[in-house]
Amino acid sequence: MNIFKEMILSVYSYKSYKEFLNNKKGKVFGFSLMLMLIYFLVTIGIPFAGFHGTKGIAGKMDEMIPEFELTDGRLWIERDFLYEDVDSYFAVSADPEEVFLSAREIKGFLNNYRNVLLMDSEKIIIKSNNETNEAYYSDLDFEFTKSDLLRWVPYIYVVIAICMLLAFLCMTAFFFLGVIFVALMGMIAASCMNYRLTFGQLYLLGIYSRTLPLIIKAAVSFLPIHIPFFFIFNFGLSLFIIIMAIQKMKEQSLQKPLEFTSDDASNRAFPSGGDAENKNDFSWMK
């Protein structure tokens, strides 16, 4: 059975989980990596591709960033630049006579955002990770233009690729850690249901049980709202799938017909446990 068929069966076919127990470790690991790769591409790859568009990062930057020049401790910019969302606020003033207040004077404003970038003709204010820095261009001895910025685009691609690889590895690591929790909860469920499974078997079942929750989680990530305590539903669904899989295993065990060997037949014919060679010995009747 190929990995993609197993993904489909792991969503709705609880009886297939008994067959999954026969899979080798390499195949299960491959299933995990493929599942996480699909989840990664849907939740991070698609949004990044939408932002990237057909113009690429260089095209986006060229379109969004106006012409600017930082020389002799002064900043000239073609037009005002403003970007704002829930967590971020970026503003660049094109008026050489208009300058922002100091970072200390606008501390209340800065506390409203996680990331802030303010630039006027003489200074720059940056806030990131609750740390605020302020610097005057005249103290930096630094010259920079839009063309210089665009020349860094190839390096930006390398940085993005490294960051995405690290994000995938971290996401996969958290996946395997989450399966440990699912397997531990599965041990409790199996004990209550009087069905014996090792931790390794439950861990394997936990991996397959994560398919449907990850599909739902990927879909929820596109919603404009945050669902509180979604992680409870997420892992609860995996536990429910394991419980249903164990129930199917119990049913299959009860429905399995009894098999008798030739030795069993001999034992029924000769209650003393004698075999065919002693079939004429009737001493057991005395």
Side-chain angles (χ1 to χ4, degrees):
M1 189 185 304
N2 63 57
I3 289 177
F4 296 103
K5 185 176 181 179
E6 287 184 341
M7 285 186 185
I8 296 173
L9 292 175
S10 66
V11 171
Y12 71 92
S13 180
Y14 303 127
K15 65 180 181 180
S16 298
Y17 277 73
K18 187 173 183 179
E19 298 179 26
F20 297 157
L21 292 176
N22 298 323
N23 289 343
K24 296 181 178 179
K25 294 179 181 179
K27 184 176 183 180
V28 177
F29 183 70
F31 176 93
S32 304
L33 290 183
M34 183 58 66
L35 178 62
M36 290 309 301
L37 179 60
I38 294 173
Y39 176 76
F40 177 82
L41 292 175
V42 171
T43 57
I44 295 182
I46 292 178
F48 176 76
F51 170 79
H52 188 276
T54 57
K55 297 180 180 179
I57 294 178
K60 284 281 186 181
M61 291 177 63
D62 188 40
E63 181 180 290
M64 294 177 59
I65 301 175
E67 291 289 340
F68 69 88
E69 184 177 290
L70 177 61
T71 56
D72 299 327
R74 301 286 294 182
L75 174 66
W76 170 85
I77 188 168
E78 182 181 20
R79 64 179 185 274
D80 288 343
F81 175 79
L82 178 63
Y83 173 82
E84 181 181 9
D85 61 23
V86 176
D87 295 322
S88 305
Y89 187 90
F90 304 145
V92 183
S93 174
D95 187 349
E97 303 300 326
E98 179 180 323
V99 295
F100 297 114
L101 298 175
S102 67
R104 185 181 60 183
E105 294 173 311
I106 58 172
K107 184 177 180 180
F109 169 79
L110 295 175
N111 290 336
N112 295 327
Y113 301 93
R114 182 179 302 174
N115 303 297
V116 177
L117 171 66
L118 300 175
M119 299 179 68
D120 56 32
S121 59
E122 61 182 30
K123 68 178 179 297
I124 179 172
I125 300 173
I126 299 176
K127 179 190 176 183
S128 179
N129 297 324
N130 295 322
E131 183 178 345
T132 302
N133 295 289
E134 181 179 29
Y136 285 80
Y137 309 132
S138 56
D139 297 331
L140 299 177
D141 190 22
F142 181 69
E143 295 187 355
F144 200 61
T145 65
K146 180 179 177 179
S147 299
D148 295 329
L149 177 62
L150 293 179
R151 278 196 285 268
W152 283 89
V153 170
Y155 301 99
I156 294 176
Y157 278 110
V158 174
V159 172
I160 290 175
I162 294 174
C163 290
M164 294 189 77
L165 176 60
L166 291 175
F168 173 75
L169 293 177
C170 290
M171 191 178 290
T172 303
F174 280 114
F175 168 79
F176 286 115
L177 289 174
V179 174
I180 293 178
F181 174 75
V182 174
L184 290 173
M185 297 300 294
M187 288 187 70
I188 298 174
S191 177
C192 294
M193 297 173 71
N194 295 319
Y195 195 83
R196 187 174 181 180
L197 287 169
T198 66
F199 179 80
Q201 291 173 320
L202 286 165
Y203 189 88
L204 186 150
L205 295 179
I207 288 175
Y208 287 92
S209 73
R210 296 297 295 148
T211 304
L212 180 57
L214 285 178
I215 293 174
I216 297 175
K217 186 178 180 181
V220 168
S221 68
F222 289 94
L223 297 178
I225 59 174
H226 171 72
I227 300 178
F229 304 108
F230 178 76
F231 71 93
I232 296 177
F233 168 79
N234 190 311
F235 286 97
L237 181 57
S238 288
L239 180 59
F240 171 78
I241 291 173
I242 287 181
I243 291 174
M244 295 302 297
I246 293 174
Q247 183 62 36
K248 284 294 181 181
M249 292 179 194
K250 289 186 67 175
E251 292 175 2
Q252 291 171 357
S253 298
L254 293 174
Q255 294 172 0
K256 186 177 180 180
L258 295 176
E259 297 181 359
F260 297 100
T261 62
S262 58
D263 290 339
D264 295 329
S266 300
N267 291 336
R268 290 197 304 274
F270 308 104
S272 63
D275 53 22
E277 293 179 357
N278 299 321
K279 63 182 179 180
N280 293 325
D281 181 9
F282 297 98
S283 60
W284 57 272
M285 297 180 65
K286 297 179 182 179

